[in-house]
Amino acid sequence: MGKLGEIRITGGIPLNGQVAVQGSKNTALPMMAAALLGRGISVLKKCPRIADVFCMEEILQGLGVHSWWEDHDLYLDCRKAERGKNAADGAGKMRSSVILLGAMAGRFGEGSMGYPGGCIIGKRPIDLHLYALRCLGIDAQEGETEIRVSGHPLGGHISFPKKSVGATEQAMLAAALSCEETTIENCAREPEIWWLAKCLTAMGVRIQGAGTGCMHIQGRKSLKPYSMKVPPDRIVAGTYLLAGAATRGRVTLLEPPGGELNTFLELYSKMGGQFQWNSGKLITDSQKVCFPLPYVETGCHPGFPTDLQSPLMAVLAGIPGESAVRETIFEERYGVAEELKRMGAEITVRGDTAYISGKEELTGASVKAGELRGGAALVIAGLSAHGETRIAGCQYIRRGYENICEDITRLGGKAEEEAGEYLYENIRLLEKPE
Ligand code: UD1
């Protein structure tokens, strides 16, 4: 095992400038699963070149999908997809592997998948996924090392007891190749659901109500491949704006996600941040950021996204005064608090709430990322801190950020990544077929 890379940051420099936002990880992954439903070559344009996408690509390759990249466009040739070998190995490296179960049932009438992995931020059970599959007449069995599905999806009525982004995607993917109608009640309303609906619609599925709490899906016996641009990543956008806030800089996002940032921008304004939309750009000015946030809670969309909770905490740690952040989605999402404390942050976690006594300035330190968004929070803290910060475990950051150091450098900050072992470096990038 080689040495894992480290990010080195020299803090205290306000970020100023323009940066483009990469394609959305959480939209690209279900789109990749959807490709399996079409008997043809689907194209994800502007697909982020990140470890989780490579991992999903590898799992699809195990199912006979031929894939290749042309710059940032990912081609998935699913004409010869077959049930293939068990995709247990890759599955454990990420969360989204589980949504392939519904797609496999639709395409092959059977399939199996190892238990999903992903960031350690809470329990992350899969009961709602299995419930959705079973509502559609699919037999889903949990074995010791894998989950097996059999039976082609029928239509059905799903009424989720709790909102789940992944389980809603699972249900949509399974329902897409059923000729009967499916109703999904209490479904997730995150933008990623809307984008998946757009993708499935391009493949020939009829969907009503995407983005609301209830969806009606009329699937088809066979679906076309799609060619679609992956929308910009709202969490990466939020991360870069928070990096601007932490350093009291002025960050402009090129091609930002539109209305998806509304709740975030409300909080940003409350901290003293100023923003304007101009010619498709989002221009922010954080020079007056100085107000703590007495109470913020994460929530399902349109609430404040849990994926930006740790990055926000890193900013609040550097705003003098008392802030409190309550996490309502993933109970163990405060792992990064201990690392931030090494940098001088004063944070007390009690139950589901983190109480933050903001300081004038954090201090650079050697810290360790334990998961993706916690890692991003450490980058933000490092940028605002006095002195040098070294962040180990940056393979987690690469799961979701394509070029975080290059982007920071483009904004005038000082961040470099020591070359290290890539988590999925053995990914085969196949050649385009004749
Ligand atoms: C997705 C996102 C993740 C984001 C999260 C919430 C992807 C790849 N990941 O994760 O970045 O933080 O949405 O916006 O899109 N739950 C159950 N049973 C289940 C499934 C989920 O109890 O079968 C619970 C979870 O433990 C959690 C809540 O439901 O408490 C929401 O999780 P969910 O929306 O499913 O998150 P993911 O789809 O895993």
Side-chain angles (χ1 to χ4, degrees):
M1 181 110 162
K3 189 171 180 294
L4 292 174
E6 198 181 60
I7 291 179
R8 261 202 312 270
I9 296 176
T10 307
I13 306 166
L15 296 190
N16 279 319
Q18 305 195 350
V19 69
V21 181
Q22 71 184 57
S24 158
K25 166 175 93 69
N26 290 352
T27 302
L29 295 171
M31 279 175 69
M32 291 174 78
L36 193 62
L37 302 172
R39 288 172 193 272
I41 305 175
S42 288
V43 191
L44 291 92
K45 298 193 169 153
K46 287 210 168 178
C47 187
R49 296 184 70 125
I50 51 175
D52 271 15
V53 164
F54 294 148
C55 183
M56 186 66 131
E57 184 185 5
E58 195 176 26
I59 296 173
L60 287 172
Q61 287 170 356
L63 296 171
V65 174
H66 192 77
S67 65
W68 69 95
W69 289 83
E70 288 178 15
D71 192 12
H72 271 76
D73 297 344
L74 172 60
Y75 289 74
L76 297 172
D77 180 351
C78 300
R79 286 175 296 186
K80 293 189 182 147
E82 52 185 14
R83 187 201 173 297
K85 65 176 167 64
N86 181 337
D89 291 353
K93 292 179 191 161
M94 67 187 305
R95 177 75 186 169
S96 285
S97 53
V98 73
I99 59 172
L100 284 169
L101 286 171
M104 286 164 102
R107 175 80 191 245
F108 312 124
E110 61 170 356
S112 60
M113 185 62 59
Y115 283 92
C119 285
I120 314 293
I121 52 177
K123 289 195 199 78
R124 309 195 87 173
I126 55 164
D127 55 322
L128 300 174
H129 291 257
L130 301 179
Y131 161 74
L133 293 169
R134 288 171 185 149
C135 286
L136 299 183
I138 298 164
D139 181 30
Q141 298 293 336
E142 289 181 89
E144 208 163 287
T145 56
E146 60 177 31
I147 310 142
R148 278 183 300 280
V149 288
S150 60
H152 282 281
L154 309 168
H157 192 105
I158 301 169
S159 180
F160 283 118
K162 178 179 182 180
K163 284 193 167 64
S164 157
V165 177
T168 302
E169 291 165 352
Q170 182 80 273
M172 293 168 77
L173 290 162
L177 273 178
S178 157
C179 294
E180 292 164 46
E181 191 175 310
T182 296
T183 300
I184 314 175
E185 283 185 69
N186 198 26
C187 53
R189 297 164 54 192
E190 266 62 10
E192 291 74 23
I193 300 297
W194 190 86
W195 289 111
L196 176 60
K198 190 171 152 74
C199 174
L200 290 172
T201 303
M203 299 178 82
V205 181
R206 285 221 320 263
I207 303 183
Q208 281 177 337
T212 72
C214 182
M215 250 186 291
H216 297 285
I217 301 181
Q218 177 60 61
R220 288 244 183 140
K221 206 166 154 201
S222 84
L223 296 175
K224 300 178 284 199
Y226 64 83
S227 174
M228 190 175 128
K229 187 178 148 202
V230 179
D233 194 307
R234 64 192 173 106
I235 305 301
V236 172
T239 304
Y240 290 168
L241 295 184
L242 286 170
T247 59
R248 311 297 190 262
R250 284 175 292 152
V251 170
T252 292
L253 299 182
L254 307 172
E255 288 188 65
E260 299 178 9
L261 289 173
N262 288 350
T263 312
F264 169 85
L265 289 171
E266 261 173 49
L267 284 184
Y268 177 68
S269 299
K270 284 187 186 157
M271 290 192 288
Q274 295 172 315
F275 67 91
Q276 56 168 305
W277 296 89
N278 196 334
S279 318
K281 298 180 192 172
L282 175 56
I283 302 165
T284 68
D285 184 342
S286 295
Q287 291 175 105
K288 294 187 178 143
V289 164
C290 66
F291 301 111
L293 297 175
Y295 181 76
V296 184
E297 66 174 27
T298 62
C300 298
H301 194 76
F304 182 72
T306 170
D307 287 348
L308 286 175
Q309 180 258 105
S310 299
L312 176 68
M313 195 158 63
V315 178
L316 295 174
I319 299 181
E322 303 301 314
S323 293
V325 180
R326 178 166 171 249
E327 173 58 59
T328 71
I329 313 283
F330 292 112
E331 66 277 15
E332 289 166 30
R333 209 162 201 182
Y334 289 123
V336 73
E338 285 307 311
E339 299 302 306
L340 290 172
K341 283 195 217 171
R342 288 171 188 270
M343 302 178 70
E346 264 188 55
I347 302 173
T348 310
V349 178
R350 255 180 269 133
D352 59 6
T353 306
Y355 299 88
I356 304 146
S357 293
K359 294 272 195 71
E360 203 67 60
E361 197 175 50
L362 300 179
T363 315
S366 285
V367 289
K368 196 163 190 282
E371 40 90 18
L372 168 60
R373 306 299 171 190
L378 294 175
V379 171
I380 291 173
L383 288 168
S384 72
H386 173 75
E388 191 182 80
T389 294
R390 286 169 169 261
I391 305 169
C394 60
Q395 74 274 19
Y396 292 107
I397 300 173
R398 279 198 217 105
R399 293 180 58 159
Y401 296 86
E402 192 174 292
N403 281 320
I404 199 163
C405 291
E406 273 179 40
D407 287 342
I408 289 166
T409 308
R410 196 162 291 135
L411 293 170
K414 272 196 174 175
E416 26 172 58
E417 189 174 337
E418 225 173 57
E421 181 186 335
Y422 276 78
L423 204 54
Y424 308 121
E425 66 183 355
N426 57 353
I427 186 82
R428 285 173 300 136
L429 295 179
L430 300 178
E431 293 306 313
K432 185 178 175 179
E434 288 308 309

